Coordinates of all heavy atoms in Angstrom, one line a residue:
M1 N 9.6 -182.7 -20.1 CA 9.6 -181.2 -19.8 C 9.2 -180.5 -21.0 O 8.4 -179.6 -21.0 CB 10.8 -180.8 -19.1 CG 10.9 -181.5 -17.8 SD 12.3 -180.9 -16.7 CE 11.8 -179.4 -16.2
A2 N 9.8 -180.8 -22.1 CA 9.5 -180.2 -23.4 C 8.1 -180.4 -23.8 O 7.4 -179.4 -24.2 CB 10.5 -180.6 -24.5
R3 N 7.6 -181.6 -23.6 CA 6.2 -181.9 -24.0 C 5.3 -181.1 -23.1 O 4.3 -180.5 -23.6 CB 6.0 -183.4 -23.7 CG 4.5 -183.8 -24.0 CD 4.3 -185.3 -23.6 NE 3.0 -185.6 -23.7 CZ 2.0 -185.3 -22.8 NH1 2.3 -184.6 -21.7 NH2 0.8 -185.7 -22.9
T4 N 5.5 -181.0 -21.9 CA 4.7 -180.2 -20.9 C 4.6 -178.7 -21.3 O 3.7 -178.1 -21.5 CB 5.1 -180.3 -19.5 OG1 5.0 -181.7 -19.2 CG2 4.4 -179.5 -18.6
L5 N 5.9 -178.2 -21.7 CA 5.9 -176.7 -22.1 C 5.1 -176.5 -23.4 O 4.4 -175.6 -23.5 CB 7.4 -176.3 -22.3 CG 8.1 -176.1 -20.9 CD1 9.6 -176.0 -21.2 CD2 7.6 -174.7 -20.3
L6 N 5.4 -177.4 -24.3 CA 4.6 -177.3 -25.6 C 3.2 -177.4 -25.4 O 2.4 -176.6 -25.9 CB 5.1 -178.4 -26.6 CG 4.5 -178.3 -27.9 CD1 4.8 -177.2 -28.7 CD2 4.9 -179.6 -28.7
Y7 N 2.7 -178.4 -24.7 CA 1.2 -178.6 -24.4 C 0.7 -177.4 -23.7 O -0.3 -176.9 -24.1 CB 1.0 -179.9 -23.6 CG -0.3 -180.1 -23.3 CD1 -1.3 -180.6 -24.3 CD2 -1.0 -179.7 -22.0 CE1 -2.7 -180.7 -24.0 CE2 -2.2 -180.0 -21.7 CZ -3.1 -180.4 -22.6 OH -4.5 -180.6 -22.4
Q8 N 1.3 -177.0 -22.7 CA 0.8 -175.8 -22.0 C 0.7 -174.5 -22.8 O -0.2 -173.8 -22.7 CB 1.5 -175.6 -20.7 CG 1.2 -176.7 -19.6 CD 1.8 -176.4 -18.3 OE1 3.0 -176.3 -18.2 NE2 0.9 -176.3 -17.3
G9 N 1.8 -174.4 -23.6 CA 1.7 -173.3 -24.6 C 0.5 -173.3 -25.5 O -0.2 -172.4 -25.8
Q10 N 0.3 -174.6 -26.0 CA -0.8 -174.7 -27.0 C -2.1 -174.5 -26.2 O -3.2 -174.0 -26.8 CB -0.8 -176.1 -27.6 CG 0.3 -176.3 -28.5 CD 0.3 -177.8 -29.0 OE1 -0.1 -178.7 -28.3 NE2 0.9 -177.9 -30.2
M11 N -2.3 -174.7 -25.0 CA -3.5 -174.6 -24.2 C -3.6 -173.1 -23.7 O -4.6 -172.9 -23.0 CB -3.5 -175.6 -23.0 CG -3.5 -177.0 -23.4 SD -4.6 -177.8 -24.7 CE -6.1 -176.9 -24.7
G12 N -2.6 -172.3 -23.9 CA -2.6 -170.9 -23.4 C -2.3 -170.8 -21.9 O -2.7 -169.8 -21.3
Q13 N -1.7 -171.8 -21.3 CA -1.4 -171.7 -20.0 C 0.1 -171.0 -19.8 O 0.9 -171.2 -20.6 CB -1.3 -173.1 -19.3 CG -2.7 -173.8 -19.3 CD -2.7 -175.1 -18.7 OE1 -1.6 -175.7 -18.4 NE2 -3.9 -175.7 -18.6
P14 N 0.2 -170.2 -18.7 CA 1.4 -169.5 -18.5 C 2.5 -170.4 -18.0 O 2.4 -171.4 -17.5 CB 1.0 -168.4 -17.4 CG 0.0 -169.2 -16.6 CD -0.8 -170.0 -17.6
L15 N 3.8 -169.8 -18.1 CA 4.9 -170.4 -17.5 C 5.0 -170.2 -16.0 O 5.3 -171.3 -15.3 CB 6.2 -169.6 -18.0 CG 7.6 -170.1 -17.6 CD1 7.8 -171.6 -18.1 CD2 8.7 -169.2 -18.2
Y16 N 4.4 -169.2 -15.5 CA 4.4 -169.0 -14.1 C 3.1 -168.2 -13.6 O 2.4 -167.6 -14.5 CB 5.7 -168.2 -13.6 CG 5.8 -166.9 -14.1 CD1 5.1 -165.8 -13.8 CD2 6.6 -166.7 -15.3 CE1 5.3 -164.5 -14.4 CE2 6.8 -165.5 -16.0 CZ 6.1 -164.4 -15.4 OH 6.2 -163.1 -16.0
T17 N 2.9 -168.1 -12.2 CA 1.8 -167.3 -11.7 C 2.6 -166.4 -10.7 O 3.7 -166.6 -10.3 CB 0.8 -168.1 -10.9 OG1 1.5 -168.9 -10.0 CG2 0.0 -169.0 -11.9
L18 N 1.9 -165.3 -10.3 CA 2.5 -164.4 -9.4 C 1.9 -164.6 -8.0 O 0.7 -164.9 -7.8 CB 2.2 -163.0 -9.8 CG 2.7 -162.5 -11.1 CD1 2.3 -161.1 -11.5 CD2 4.3 -162.6 -11.1
R19 N 2.8 -164.5 -7.0 CA 2.4 -164.6 -5.6 C 1.7 -163.3 -5.2 O 1.7 -162.3 -6.0 CB 3.6 -164.8 -4.7 CG 4.3 -166.1 -4.9 CD 5.4 -166.3 -4.0 NE 6.2 -165.1 -3.8 CZ 7.5 -165.1 -3.7 NH1 8.2 -166.2 -3.7 NH2 8.2 -164.0 -3.6
P20 N 0.9 -163.2 -4.2 CA 0.3 -162.0 -3.7 C 1.2 -160.8 -3.6 O 0.7 -159.7 -3.8 CB -0.4 -162.4 -2.4 CG -0.6 -163.9 -2.4 CD 0.5 -164.4 -3.2
D21 N 2.5 -161.1 -3.3 CA 3.4 -160.0 -3.2 C 3.9 -159.4 -4.6 O 4.7 -158.7 -4.6 CB 4.6 -160.3 -2.2 CG 5.5 -161.5 -2.8 OD1 5.2 -161.9 -3.9 OD2 6.3 -161.8 -2.0
G22 N 3.5 -160.1 -5.7 CA 3.8 -159.6 -6.9 C 5.0 -160.4 -7.5 O 5.4 -160.2 -8.6
H23 N 5.7 -161.3 -6.7 CA 6.8 -162.0 -7.2 C 6.4 -163.3 -7.9 O 5.4 -163.9 -7.6 CB 7.9 -162.3 -6.0 CG 8.4 -161.0 -5.5 ND1 9.5 -160.4 -6.2 CD2 8.3 -160.3 -4.4 CE1 9.9 -159.4 -5.6 NE2 9.2 -159.3 -4.5
I24 N 7.3 -163.9 -8.8 CA 6.9 -165.1 -9.5 C 7.0 -166.3 -8.6 O 7.9 -166.5 -7.8 CB 8.0 -165.3 -10.6 CG1 7.7 -164.1 -11.6 CG2 7.9 -166.6 -11.3 CD1 8.7 -164.1 -12.8
S25 N 5.9 -167.1 -8.5 CA 5.8 -168.3 -7.7 C 6.7 -169.4 -8.3 O 6.8 -169.5 -9.5 CB 4.3 -168.7 -7.7 OG 4.2 -169.9 -7.0
D26 N 7.2 -170.2 -7.4 CA 7.9 -171.4 -7.8 C 7.1 -172.6 -8.1 O 7.5 -173.7 -8.5 CB 9.0 -171.9 -6.8 CG 8.4 -172.4 -5.6 OD1 7.1 -172.4 -5.3 OD2 9.2 -172.8 -4.6
G27 N 5.7 -172.3 -8.0 CA 4.7 -173.4 -8.3 C 4.2 -174.2 -7.1 O 3.3 -175.0 -7.3
Q28 N 4.9 -174.2 -6.1 CA 4.6 -175.0 -4.9 C 3.3 -174.6 -4.3 O 3.2 -173.4 -4.0 CB 5.8 -174.9 -3.8 CG 5.6 -175.8 -2.6 CD 5.6 -177.3 -2.9 OE1 6.5 -177.8 -3.8 NE2 4.8 -178.1 -2.3
G29 N 2.3 -175.5 -4.2 CA 1.1 -175.2 -3.7 C 0.2 -174.3 -4.3 O -0.9 -173.9 -3.9
E30 N 0.5 -174.0 -5.6 CA -0.4 -173.2 -6.5 C -1.7 -173.9 -6.9 O -1.6 -175.2 -7.1 CB 0.5 -172.6 -7.7 CG 1.6 -171.7 -7.4 CD 1.0 -170.3 -7.0 OE1 -0.1 -169.9 -7.5 OE2 1.5 -169.8 -6.1
K31 N -2.6 -173.2 -7.1 CA -3.9 -173.8 -7.7 C -4.0 -173.5 -9.1 O -4.5 -174.3 -9.9 CB -5.1 -173.3 -6.8 CG -5.0 -173.7 -5.5 CD -6.4 -173.7 -4.8 CE -6.5 -174.1 -3.4 NZ -5.5 -174.9 -2.8
A32 N -3.5 -172.3 -9.6 CA -3.7 -171.9 -10.9 C -2.6 -172.7 -11.8 O -1.5 -172.8 -11.3 CB -3.5 -170.4 -11.1
P33 N -3.0 -173.0 -13.0 CA -2.2 -173.8 -13.9 C -0.9 -172.9 -14.3 O -1.0 -171.7 -14.6 CB -2.9 -174.1 -15.1 CG -4.1 -173.2 -15.1 CD -4.3 -172.7 -13.7
S34 N 0.3 -173.5 -14.3 CA 1.5 -172.9 -14.9 C 2.5 -174.0 -15.1 O 2.3 -175.1 -14.4 CB 2.0 -171.9 -13.9 OG 2.7 -172.4 -12.8
F35 N 3.5 -173.8 -15.8 CA 4.6 -174.8 -16.0 C 5.3 -175.1 -14.7 O 5.5 -176.3 -14.3 CB 5.6 -174.4 -17.0 CG 6.8 -175.4 -16.9 CD1 6.7 -176.6 -17.5 CD2 8.0 -175.0 -16.4 CE1 7.7 -177.5 -17.6 CE2 9.0 -175.9 -16.4 CZ 9.0 -177.1 -16.9
F36 N 5.5 -174.1 -13.9 CA 6.2 -174.3 -12.6 C 5.3 -175.2 -11.7 O 5.8 -176.0 -11.0 CB 6.6 -172.9 -11.9 CG 7.7 -172.3 -12.7 CD1 7.7 -170.8 -12.8 CD2 8.7 -172.9 -13.3 CE1 8.6 -170.2 -13.5 CE2 9.7 -172.2 -14.1 CZ 9.7 -170.8 -14.2
R37 N 4.1 -174.9 -11.7 CA 3.1 -175.7 -10.9 C 3.1 -177.2 -11.3 O 3.2 -178.1 -10.5 CB 1.7 -175.1 -10.9 CG 0.7 -176.1 -10.3 CD -0.7 -175.6 -10.4 NE -1.6 -176.4 -9.9 CZ -2.4 -177.2 -10.6 NH1 -2.3 -177.3 -11.9 NH2 -3.3 -178.0 -9.9
E38 N 3.1 -177.4 -12.6 CA 3.1 -178.7 -13.2 C 4.4 -179.5 -12.8 O 4.4 -180.6 -12.5 CB 2.8 -178.7 -14.7 CG 2.6 -180.0 -15.3 CD 1.3 -180.6 -15.0 OE1 0.5 -180.0 -14.2 OE2 1.1 -181.8 -15.4
Y39 N 5.5 -178.8 -12.9 CA 6.8 -179.4 -12.5 C 6.8 -179.8 -11.0 O 7.0 -180.9 -10.7 CB 8.0 -178.4 -12.7 CG 9.3 -179.1 -12.3 CD1 10.0 -180.0 -13.0 CD2 9.7 -178.7 -11.0 CE1 11.1 -180.6 -12.6 CE2 10.9 -179.4 -10.5 CZ 11.5 -180.3 -11.4 OH 12.6 -180.9 -10.9
R40 N 6.3 -178.9 -10.2 CA 6.4 -179.3 -8.7 C 5.3 -180.2 -8.4 O 5.6 -181.1 -7.5 CB 6.1 -178.0 -7.9 CG 7.1 -176.9 -8.0 CD 8.5 -177.2 -7.6 NE 8.6 -177.8 -6.3 CZ 9.1 -177.0 -5.2 NH1 9.4 -175.7 -5.4 NH2 9.1 -177.5 -4.1
R41 N 4.2 -180.2 -9.0 CA 3.0 -181.1 -8.8 C 3.3 -182.6 -9.4 O 2.9 -183.6 -8.7 CB 1.8 -180.5 -9.3 CG 0.6 -181.2 -8.8 CD -0.7 -180.4 -9.4 NE -1.7 -181.4 -9.9 CZ -1.9 -181.7 -11.1 NH1 -1.2 -181.1 -12.1 NH2 -2.8 -182.6 -11.4
K42 N 3.8 -182.6 -10.5 CA 3.8 -183.9 -11.3 C 5.3 -184.3 -11.7 O 5.7 -185.4 -11.5 CB 2.9 -183.7 -12.4 CG 2.7 -184.9 -13.3 CD 1.7 -184.7 -14.3 CE 1.4 -185.7 -15.4 NZ 0.5 -185.3 -16.3
L43 N 5.9 -183.4 -12.4 CA 7.2 -183.8 -13.1 C 8.3 -184.1 -12.1 O 9.2 -185.0 -12.4 CB 7.6 -182.8 -14.1 CG 6.7 -182.5 -15.3 CD1 7.1 -181.3 -16.1 CD2 6.5 -183.7 -16.0
E44 N 8.4 -183.4 -11.1 CA 9.4 -183.5 -10.1 C 9.5 -184.9 -9.5 O 10.6 -185.5 -9.2 CB 9.2 -182.4 -8.9 CG 10.3 -182.4 -7.9 CD 10.1 -181.2 -7.0 OE1 8.9 -181.0 -6.5 OE2 11.1 -180.5 -6.8
G45 N 8.4 -185.5 -9.3 CA 8.4 -186.9 -8.6 C 8.0 -188.0 -9.6 O 7.7 -189.1 -9.1
L46 N 8.0 -187.7 -10.9 CA 7.5 -188.7 -11.9 C 8.3 -190.0 -11.8 O 7.8 -191.1 -11.8 CB 7.6 -188.1 -13.2 CG 7.1 -189.0 -14.4 CD1 5.6 -189.2 -14.2 CD2 7.4 -188.3 -15.8
G47 N 9.6 -189.9 -11.6 CA 10.4 -191.1 -11.5 C 10.1 -192.1 -10.5 O 10.3 -193.3 -10.6
D48 N 9.6 -191.5 -9.4 CA 9.3 -192.3 -8.2 C 7.9 -193.2 -8.5 O 7.7 -194.1 -7.7 CB 9.0 -191.4 -6.9 CG 10.1 -190.7 -6.5 OD1 11.3 -191.2 -6.9 OD2 10.0 -189.7 -6.0
R49 N 7.2 -192.8 -9.5 CA 5.9 -193.6 -9.8 C 6.1 -194.5 -11.0 O 5.2 -195.2 -11.4 CB 4.9 -192.5 -10.2 CG 4.6 -191.6 -9.0 CD 3.3 -190.8 -9.2 NE 3.3 -189.9 -10.3 CZ 3.9 -188.7 -10.4 NH1 4.3 -188.3 -9.3 NH2 3.9 -188.0 -11.4
L50 N 7.4 -194.7 -11.5 CA 7.6 -195.7 -12.5 C 7.6 -197.1 -11.9 O 8.1 -197.3 -10.8 CB 8.9 -195.4 -13.3 CG 8.8 -194.1 -14.0 CD1 10.2 -193.7 -14.7 CD2 7.7 -194.0 -15.0
Y51 N 7.3 -198.1 -12.7 CA 7.1 -199.4 -12.2 C 8.4 -200.4 -12.4 O 8.5 -201.2 -11.5 CB 5.9 -200.1 -12.9 CG 4.6 -199.6 -12.5 CD1 3.9 -198.8 -13.5 CD2 4.0 -199.6 -11.3 CE1 2.7 -198.2 -13.2 CE2 2.9 -199.0 -11.0 CZ 2.1 -198.4 -12.0 OH 0.9 -197.8 -11.7
T52 N 9.1 -200.2 -13.4 CA 10.1 -201.1 -13.7 C 11.5 -200.6 -13.1 O 11.7 -199.4 -13.0 CB 10.4 -201.4 -15.2 OG1 10.7 -200.2 -15.8 CG2 9.0 -201.9 -15.9
P53 N 12.4 -201.5 -12.7 CA 13.7 -201.1 -12.3 C 14.4 -200.2 -13.3 O 15.1 -199.3 -13.0 CB 14.4 -202.4 -12.0 CG 13.3 -203.4 -11.7 CD 12.2 -203.0 -12.6
R54 N 14.3 -200.6 -14.5 CA 15.0 -199.9 -15.7 C 14.4 -198.5 -15.8 O 15.1 -197.6 -16.0 CB 14.8 -200.7 -17.0 CG 15.4 -200.0 -18.3 CD 16.9 -200.0 -18.2 NE 17.4 -199.4 -19.4 CZ 18.4 -198.6 -19.5 NH1 19.2 -198.4 -18.4 NH2 18.8 -198.1 -20.6
G55 N 13.1 -198.4 -15.7 CA 12.5 -197.0 -15.8 C 12.9 -196.1 -14.7 O 13.2 -195.0 -14.9
R56 N 12.9 -196.7 -13.4 CA 13.4 -196.0 -12.3 C 14.8 -195.5 -12.4 O 15.2 -194.5 -12.0 CB 13.1 -196.8 -11.0 CG 11.6 -196.9 -10.7 CD 11.4 -197.3 -9.3 NE 11.9 -198.7 -9.1 CZ 11.1 -199.8 -9.4 NH1 9.9 -199.6 -9.8 NH2 11.6 -201.0 -9.2
A57 N 15.6 -196.3 -13.0 CA 17.0 -196.1 -13.1 C 17.2 -195.0 -14.1 O 18.0 -194.0 -13.9 CB 17.9 -197.4 -13.5
L58 N 16.5 -195.1 -15.3 CA 16.6 -194.0 -16.3 C 16.1 -192.6 -15.7 O 16.8 -191.6 -15.9 CB 15.8 -194.3 -17.5 CG 16.4 -195.4 -18.4 CD1 15.3 -195.8 -19.4 CD2 17.6 -195.1 -19.1
A59 N 15.0 -192.7 -14.9 CA 14.5 -191.4 -14.3 C 15.5 -190.9 -13.4 O 15.8 -189.7 -13.3 CB 13.2 -191.7 -13.6
A60 N 16.2 -191.7 -12.6 CA 17.2 -191.2 -11.7 C 18.4 -190.4 -12.3 O 18.9 -189.5 -11.8 CB 17.8 -192.4 -10.8
Q61 N 18.8 -190.9 -13.5 CA 19.8 -190.4 -14.3 C 19.3 -189.1 -14.8 O 20.2 -188.1 -14.9 CB 20.2 -191.3 -15.5 CG 20.9 -192.5 -15.1 CD 21.0 -193.5 -16.3 OE1 20.6 -193.2 -17.4 NE2 21.7 -194.6 -16.1
R62 N 18.1 -188.9 -15.1 CA 17.7 -187.6 -15.6 C 17.1 -186.6 -14.6 O 16.8 -185.4 -15.0 CB 16.5 -187.9 -16.7 CG 17.1 -188.7 -17.9 CD 16.0 -189.1 -18.8 NE 16.5 -189.7 -20.1 CZ 16.6 -190.9 -20.3 NH1 16.3 -191.8 -19.4 NH2 17.2 -191.4 -21.4
R63 N 17.0 -187.0 -13.3 CA 16.4 -186.1 -12.4 C 17.2 -184.8 -12.2 O 16.6 -183.8 -12.0 CB 16.3 -187.0 -11.1 CG 15.6 -186.1 -10.0 CD 15.4 -187.0 -8.7 NE 14.6 -188.1 -9.1 CZ 13.7 -188.7 -8.5 NH1 13.5 -188.4 -7.2 NH2 13.1 -189.7 -8.9
A64 N 18.5 -185.0 -12.1 CA 19.4 -183.8 -11.9 C 19.3 -182.7 -13.0 O 19.2 -181.6 -12.7 CB 20.8 -184.1 -11.7
A65 N 19.2 -183.3 -14.2 CA 19.1 -182.4 -15.4 C 17.8 -181.7 -15.4 O 17.7 -180.5 -15.7 CB 19.2 -183.2 -16.7
A66 N 16.7 -182.5 -15.0 CA 15.3 -181.8 -15.0 C 15.3 -180.8 -13.8 O 14.7 -179.7 -14.0 CB 14.3 -182.9 -14.8
A67 N 15.9 -181.0 -12.8 CA 15.8 -180.1 -11.6 C 16.6 -178.9 -11.9 O 16.3 -177.8 -11.6 CB 16.4 -180.8 -10.4
A68 N 17.8 -179.0 -12.6 CA 18.5 -177.9 -13.0 C 17.9 -177.0 -14.1 O 17.9 -175.8 -14.0 CB 19.9 -178.4 -13.5
F69 N 17.2 -177.7 -14.9 CA 16.4 -176.9 -16.0 C 15.3 -176.1 -15.3 O 15.1 -174.9 -15.5 CB 15.7 -177.9 -17.0 CG 14.9 -177.2 -18.0 CD1 15.4 -176.6 -19.1 CD2 13.5 -177.1 -17.8 CE1 14.6 -176.0 -20.1 CE2 12.7 -176.4 -18.8 CZ 13.3 -175.9 -19.8
Y70 N 14.6 -176.7 -14.4 CA 13.5 -176.1 -13.6 C 14.2 -174.8 -12.8 O 13.7 -173.7 -12.9 CB 12.8 -176.9 -12.7 CG 12.1 -176.3 -11.6 CD1 10.8 -175.8 -11.8 CD2 12.5 -176.2 -10.2 CE1 10.1 -175.1 -10.8 CE2 11.8 -175.6 -9.2 CZ 10.6 -175.1 -9.5 OH 9.9 -174.4 -8.5
R71 N 15.2 -175.0 -12.1 CA 15.8 -174.0 -11.3 C 16.3 -172.9 -12.1 O 16.1 -171.7 -11.8 CB 17.0 -174.5 -10.4 CG 16.6 -175.4 -9.2 CD 17.7 -175.6 -8.3 NE 18.9 -176.2 -9.0 CZ 19.2 -177.4 -9.2 NH1 18.3 -178.3 -8.8 NH2 20.3 -177.8 -9.8
N72 N 16.9 -173.3 -13.2 CA 17.5 -172.2 -14.2 C 16.4 -171.4 -14.8 O 16.4 -170.2 -14.9 CB 18.4 -172.8 -15.2 CG 19.6 -173.3 -14.5 OD1 20.2 -172.8 -13.5 ND2 20.3 -174.3 -15.2
L73 N 15.3 -172.1 -15.2 CA 14.1 -171.3 -15.9 C 13.4 -170.4 -14.9 O 13.1 -169.2 -15.1 CB 13.1 -172.3 -16.5 CG 12.0 -171.8 -17.3 CD1 12.7 -171.0 -18.5 CD2 11.1 -173.0 -17.8
L74 N 13.3 -170.9 -13.6 CA 12.7 -170.1 -12.6 C 13.6 -168.9 -12.4 O 13.1 -167.8 -12.2 CB 12.6 -170.9 -11.3 CG 12.0 -170.3 -10.1 CD1 10.6 -169.7 -10.3 CD2 11.9 -171.1 -8.9
A75 N 14.9 -169.1 -12.2 CA 15.8 -168.0 -12.0 C 15.7 -167.0 -13.1 O 15.8 -165.8 -12.9 CB 17.2 -168.5 -11.8
E76 N 15.7 -167.3 -14.3 CA 15.6 -166.5 -15.5 C 14.3 -165.7 -15.4 O 14.2 -164.5 -15.6 CB 15.7 -167.3 -16.7 CG 17.0 -167.7 -17.2 CD 17.8 -166.6 -17.9 OE1 17.1 -165.6 -18.5 OE2 19.0 -166.6 -17.7
A77 N 13.1 -166.5 -15.1 CA 11.9 -165.7 -15.1 C 11.8 -164.7 -14.0 O 11.3 -163.5 -14.2 CB 10.7 -166.7 -14.9
R78 N 12.4 -165.1 -12.8 CA 12.4 -164.1 -11.7 C 13.2 -162.9 -11.9 O 12.9 -161.8 -11.6 CB 12.8 -164.8 -10.4 CG 11.7 -165.8 -9.8 CD 12.1 -166.3 -8.6 NE 10.9 -167.0 -7.9 CZ 11.0 -167.8 -6.9 NH1 12.2 -168.2 -6.3 NH2 9.9 -168.4 -6.4
A79 N 14.4 -163.2 -12.5 CA 15.4 -162.1 -12.9 C 14.7 -161.1 -13.9 O 14.8 -159.9 -13.7 CB 16.7 -162.6 -13.4
A80 N 14.0 -161.7 -14.9 CA 13.4 -160.8 -15.8 C 12.3 -160.1 -15.2 O 11.9 -158.9 -15.5 CB 12.9 -161.6 -17.1
G81 N 11.5 -160.7 -14.4 CA 10.3 -160.1 -13.7 C 10.7 -159.1 -12.7 O 10.1 -158.1 -12.6
D82 N 11.8 -159.2 -12.1 CA 12.4 -158.1 -11.1 C 13.3 -157.2 -11.8 O 13.9 -156.3 -11.2 CB 13.1 -158.9 -10.0 CG 12.2 -159.7 -9.2 OD1 11.0 -159.4 -9.1 OD2 12.7 -160.6 -8.4
G83 N 13.6 -157.4 -13.2 CA 14.5 -156.5 -13.8 C 16.0 -156.7 -13.4 O 16.8 -155.8 -13.5
E84 N 16.3 -157.8 -12.9 CA 17.6 -158.1 -12.5 C 18.4 -159.0 -13.5 O 17.9 -159.8 -14.2 CB 17.7 -158.8 -11.1 CG 17.1 -158.0 -10.0 CD 17.0 -158.7 -8.7 OE1 17.6 -159.8 -8.5 OE2 16.4 -158.3 -7.8
R85 N 19.7 -159.0 -13.4 CA 20.5 -159.9 -14.1 C 20.8 -161.1 -13.5 O 21.0 -161.1 -12.3 CB 21.9 -159.2 -14.5 CG 22.8 -159.9 -15.4 CD 23.8 -159.0 -16.0 NE 24.7 -159.7 -16.8 CZ 25.9 -160.3 -16.4 NH1 26.3 -160.2 -15.1 NH2 26.6 -161.0 -17.2
V86 N 20.7 -162.2 -14.1 CA 20.9 -163.6 -13.5 C 22.4 -163.8 -13.2 O 23.2 -163.7 -14.2 CB 20.4 -164.7 -14.5 CG1 20.7 -166.1 -13.8 CG2 19.0 -164.6 -14.7
P87 N 22.8 -164.0 -12.0 CA 24.2 -164.1 -11.7 C 24.8 -165.5 -12.4 O 23.9 -166.5 -12.4 CB 24.3 -164.3 -10.3 CG 23.0 -163.9 -9.7 CD 22.0 -164.0 -10.8
P88 N 26.0 -165.5 -12.9 CA 26.4 -166.7 -13.7 C 26.4 -168.0 -12.7 O 26.4 -169.1 -13.2 CB 27.9 -166.3 -14.0 CG 28.0 -164.9 -13.9 CD 26.9 -164.3 -13.0
T89 N 26.6 -167.8 -11.5 CA 26.6 -168.8 -10.5 C 25.3 -169.7 -10.4 O 25.2 -170.8 -9.9 CB 27.0 -168.5 -9.1 OG1 26.1 -167.4 -8.6 CG2 28.4 -167.9 -9.0
L90 N 24.2 -169.0 -10.9 CA 22.9 -169.7 -10.8 C 22.9 -170.8 -11.9 O 22.1 -171.7 -11.8 CB 21.8 -168.7 -11.1 CG 21.3 -167.9 -10.0 CD1 20.2 -166.9 -10.3 CD2 20.7 -168.8 -8.9
W91 N 23.6 -170.7 -12.9 CA 23.7 -171.7 -14.0 C 24.5 -172.9 -13.6 O 25.6 -172.8 -13.4 CB 24.2 -171.1 -15.3 CG 23.1 -170.2 -15.9 CD1 23.2 -168.8 -15.8 CD2 22.0 -170.5 -16.5 NE1 22.0 -168.3 -16.4 CE2 21.3 -169.4 -16.9 CE3 21.4 -171.8 -16.9 CZ2 20.1 -169.3 -17.6 CZ3 20.2 -171.7 -17.7 CH2 19.6 -170.5 -17.9
E92 N 23.6 -173.9 -13.3 CA 24.3 -175.2 -13.0 C 24.0 -176.3 -14.0 O 23.0 -176.3 -14.7 CB 23.7 -175.7 -11.7 CG 23.7 -174.7 -10.5 CD 22.8 -175.2 -9.3 OE1 22.3 -176.4 -9.4 OE2 22.5 -174.4 -8.5
G93 N 25.0 -177.0 -14.3 CA 25.0 -178.1 -15.2 C 24.2 -179.3 -14.6 O 23.8 -179.2 -13.4
P94 N 23.8 -180.3 -15.4 CA 23.1 -181.4 -14.9 C 23.8 -182.3 -13.9 O 25.0 -182.2 -13.8 CB 22.8 -182.2 -16.2 CG 23.5 -181.7 -17.2 CD 24.1 -180.4 -16.8

């Protein structure tokens, strides 16, 4: 995830895109590049495409942390975009 964020930043791609209603998109079904789109399109299911049992096991261990990172970053972006404070209950551990 860090590599994707770094690469996209170097390429000038945004963290998120806006939906037609002006709210921040979660990336699902988006066509324009963004980190949230890349997570939903590629990173979210990356572990399912690994070939070795060891690789799949490692990916399964990291899946919850990756999903929590995505959800928390999306919540932060949406809260900042809407001018709201992020409720402490949104922060979930891995």
Side-chain angles (χ1 to χ4, degrees):
M1 295 187 71
R3 178 188 170 283
T4 299
L5 284 165
L6 180 63
Y7 176 78
Q8 287 188 298
Q10 288 176 335
M11 304 308 328
Q13 295 177 356
L15 182 62
Y16 59 83
T17 56
L18 297 177
R19 298 185 311 220
D21 65 4
H23 292 284
I24 293 172
S25 171
D26 68 358
Q28 183 68 36
E30 289 292 321
K31 295 201 184 330
S34 73
F35 171 74
F36 293 143
R37 174 184 175 257
E38 189 69 6
Y39 175 81
R40 297 300 301 263
R41 189 176 139 259
K42 184 175 172 184
L43 299 175
E44 187 173 43
L46 185 64
D48 298 334
R49 295 189 303 272
L50 297 178
Y51 295 109
T52 66
R54 176 75 175 139
R56 287 190 296 274
L58 289 171
Q61 292 172 356
R62 293 177 172 97
R63 184 175 304 215
F69 179 84
Y70 164 79
R71 285 191 310 271
N72 291 334
L73 190 58
L74 179 60
E76 280 284 329
R78 284 181 169 170
D82 293 337
E84 297 176 14
R85 189 167 175 261
V86 178
T89 55
L90 278 177
W91 286 99
E92 301 171 15

